Amino acid sequence: MKIEILGGTSPRLYKLVAPLVMNAAVLRQNNNYPYKTSSRHEWLVGLDDDGKTVRGFFPMERREGYYYLNNYYVPADSEEELLHIFIEEAITLYAPISPLVAVVHSHHVPVFQKKGFLPEREWKLYVKMRYGKSDGKTS
């Protein structure tokens, strides 16, 4: 899998991810919450070797003082493998320049913990996690 980094309003981003973010099954996996993007987002889009088939994505939003991951997608049949790849890429790209915060599906918490994310706040379906040392803040 190759990861391509695309701006949040890039025409290529829309072309690649629109079939997924409009797919009813993908939306159900995201608890029917719509995917959002803006000029503050960079999307890590995982592509098969053909460069056309999207395997998953991590939208990273630049916020004041940190990068924020929310509403990512990986297919259930390869979620752990793809999560490892995406998390490593996000850590490599963003952790050296800013703290990383992620809102993670509850069942994905162990994968994020293996990569150094620590829980900060728990809800019914999601857990807010921070990469590295927790400072106790829940921004």
Side-chain angles (χ1 to χ4, degrees):
M1 181 176 80
K2 172 186 136 184
I3 294 181
E4 190 170 330
I5 302 168
L6 297 167
T9 58
S10 158
R12 178 157 168 77
L13 172 70
Y14 289 113
K15 181 179 180 178
L16 287 172
V17 303
L20 285 173
V21 300
M22 300 300 291
N23 181 300
V26 172
L27 284 169
R28 268 192 304 279
Q29 183 178 326
N30 201 40
N31 298 306
N32 294 318
Y33 191 79
Y35 292 93
K36 297 178 183 177
T37 191
S38 72
S39 59
R40 293 185 319 271
H41 285 79
E42 285 185 345
W43 288 58
L44 308 180
V45 180
L47 300 167
D48 273 340
D49 293 335
D50 65 7
K52 298 175 185 173
T53 305
V54 177
R55 302 271 319 274
F57 52 77
F58 260 37
M60 303 295 299
E61 182 182 4
R62 288 181 314 278
R63 292 192 171 179
E64 194 168 319
Y66 60 99
Y67 274 89
Y68 183 68
L69 167 64
N70 193 9
N71 297 317
Y72 58 90
Y73 167 74
V74 290
D77 65 348
S78 56
E79 67 183 7
E80 189 164 341
E81 171 196 356
L82 294 180
L83 282 173
H84 280 288
I85 294 168
F86 277 118
I87 294 167
E88 285 290 329
E89 189 73 9
I91 290 169
T92 299
L93 292 170
Y94 303 109
I97 57 175
S98 184
L100 296 178
V101 176
V103 175
V104 175
H105 291 270
S106 295
H107 63 280
H108 292 156
V109 167
V111 179
F112 278 80
Q113 284 180 314
K114 284 180 190 173
K115 295 296 183 180
F117 281 80
L118 301 170
E120 284 194 340
R121 185 172 182 185
E122 294 183 30
W123 297 281
K124 184 177 178 181
L125 301 173
Y126 300 99
V127 176
K128 181 178 181 182
M129 303 183 81
R130 184 176 297 267
Y131 178 70
K133 187 176 180 182
S134 178
D135 61 5
K137 294 181 183 175
T138 57
S139 55

